[in-house]
Structure formats: C-alpha cells, structure tokens
Amino acid sequence: MKKTIVCFGDSNTWGYNAETDARFDEETRWTSRLASQLGNSYTVISEGLSGRTSVHEDPLFEGLSGLSYLYPCLMSHSPLDLVVIMLGTNDTKARFGLTSYNIAQGIVRLAKKAKGMESGVGGQPPEVLVVAPPPIGEKYFDTPIGSSMGIQCSDKSVELAEHLEGLLTGTGIHFADSKDGVAMNEIDYMHLDADGHRKMANFMQHQVTTILNKG
C-alpha cells in the first residue's frame, strides 16, 4: 500500500512565482518534484494556500488560519503516514503583532493537533514533521511587499527555527530546519524560485525517507 503524505503550507507549498505573480508549473513545484523523486510507492498531496498562517485569522483576508482547516483537511485525505507542516512566513506580518516565539507557539499548537488526530493508518495518529521555512531576506522591505508585510519580518523568521526546535523537543513530533539547504529568492526575498523548489524537494525527500523508512 502506498504511503501518503500531506504537505500543509502556504504560498511556498502552493508554488507562487514572484517573478510572474502566477503559479509555477507542476513540474517545478517542490511537492510535485518530491512525488516524482519518491516514486510510485508514495502519494504526495499538496495542501498549500497563499497567505496561510498557523493559527491566526487574518483581519484582511478570510479563511487563512491553518488551525480551523487542519481537521477537515487531514481527515479527508486519511489514512495518512506523514503530515509535513511548513508555515510561519506569513505569521511574521506586523499586523499580527507576534514575536518569533509566539509564532513558534502557534505552529506547535497546529502540529500537536495534527499529531492528536486519528487520521493515520488504522485510526492511529500520523507522523508529523514541522519544517522551519527558509528565513525571509532582509531586503524584503525594499520590495513591493514591504508595505504589506511591515517591519521586522526577517528578524522574526531568522529566530523561528530555534524556538520551534525547543518547543518540539519531547513531543514526538519531528523537526527540520530548511535554511542550510534552501534559500528564498532575490525578488521579494520571501518565496522560493525554481532552484529553491528543486532544493526543497531534495531536502524534503531526505526528511521523508528518514522518518517513514526508519523501521
């Protein structure tokens, strides 16, 4: 039986192309590349939504809180072997007023909810992997997205991985920091370019196979 993976994320999971303001084609997106690299024994389901936050409702746009959508999402795709959560970039927006530690708390809350569901094989909890996204580049504020994002987004995103790792210790939830192998583009400094998607697929492949083939 195929192993099923849900990739729950934001525009970097959806595949937003900052150069064209459109979506990368299926062959370019890291979720599709991951599926191809893993082969026929795996099913990779992309659940990316541009603007998605971990647990906060956006006052400007509806339906972006990951917390309210997680249950129906995971249960509809069950049984699942692994849930990959990569969020936090949108949570840095100034309008949410969160510290990097607060952002980590929200992501961990989401991950614990996923870990507590009966969406795994045989009604058991699935494995859950939290991935810290690549940090937002400092120059983001000088791009057209700077006014919408607000100040200190880069600083918060840099600090996020350390808080996530600490808060997830002892929870049984897996953690990985993508920044050593993947970087944001040099257009708006907060999205992956085509090469970033290639590198993210390679990074995720290593994480997935390590977790699911440990037995």
Side-chain angles (χ1 to χ4, degrees):
M1 190 172 185
K2 287 187 176 184
K3 294 181 178 179
T4 303
I5 304 162
V6 164
C7 301
F8 192 82
D10 52 28
S11 54
N12 279 314
T13 297
W14 183 76
Y16 175 77
N17 183 348
E19 188 173 12
T20 63
D21 198 33
R23 191 180 193 184
F24 279 114
D25 60 49
E26 189 172 0
E27 289 72 26
T28 302
R29 292 175 231 150
W30 71 259
T31 49
S32 301
R33 296 181 70 105
L34 175 63
S36 178
Q37 291 169 200
L38 288 173
N40 293 332
S41 296
Y42 294 81
T43 297
V44 178
I45 299 167
S46 177
E47 278 284 355
L49 175 65
S50 294
R52 176 176 282 151
T53 66
S54 55
V55 299
H56 293 86
E57 295 291 351
D58 193 314
L60 301 181
F61 307 99
E62 65 179 286
L64 297 183
S65 169
L67 189 66
S68 58
Y69 181 64
L70 187 69
Y71 181 85
C73 173
L74 300 190
M75 295 306 294
S76 68
H77 293 303
S78 64
L80 304 174
D81 294 276
L82 176 65
V83 179
V84 179
I85 297 173
M86 187 170 72
L87 291 168
T89 302
N90 291 302
D91 298 78
T92 66
K93 293 173 181 175
R95 62 178 174 267
F96 294 120
L98 303 172
T99 66
S100 57
Y101 187 80
N102 295 152
I103 296 168
Q105 286 179 303
I107 296 169
V108 171
R109 180 185 177 192
L110 192 69
K112 286 182 175 179
K113 181 173 181 177
K115 188 65 177 174
M117 288 186 201
E118 299 177 349
S119 60
V121 177
Q124 297 299 306
E127 296 285 349
V128 178
L129 167 65
V130 171
V131 175
I136 299 169
E138 293 180 358
K139 296 180 181 179
Y140 82 94
F141 195 75
D142 299 322
T143 74
I145 67 166
S147 297
S148 175
M149 293 293 292
I151 62 172
Q152 297 183 326
C153 297
S154 177
D155 293 339
K156 293 176 186 178
S157 68
V158 168
E159 298 166 354
L160 180 60
E162 182 179 358
H163 295 313
L164 282 172
E165 185 172 20
L167 288 170
L168 289 169
T169 299
T171 63
I173 297 168
H174 306 277
F175 171 73
D177 185 359
S178 69
K179 74 173 182 298
D180 292 333
V182 191
M184 297 298 193
N185 65 34
E186 294 187 359
I187 301 169
D188 62 10
Y189 301 91
M190 63 172 290
H191 288 98
L192 302 174
D193 57 16
D195 189 55
H197 277 270
R198 180 185 63 81
K199 291 178 178 177
M200 184 63 77
N202 293 336
F203 173 83
M204 291 291 190
Q205 181 183 11
H206 174 72
Q207 302 301 323
V208 167
T209 54
T210 299
I211 293 169
L212 294 185
N213 296 333
K214 64 181 183 299

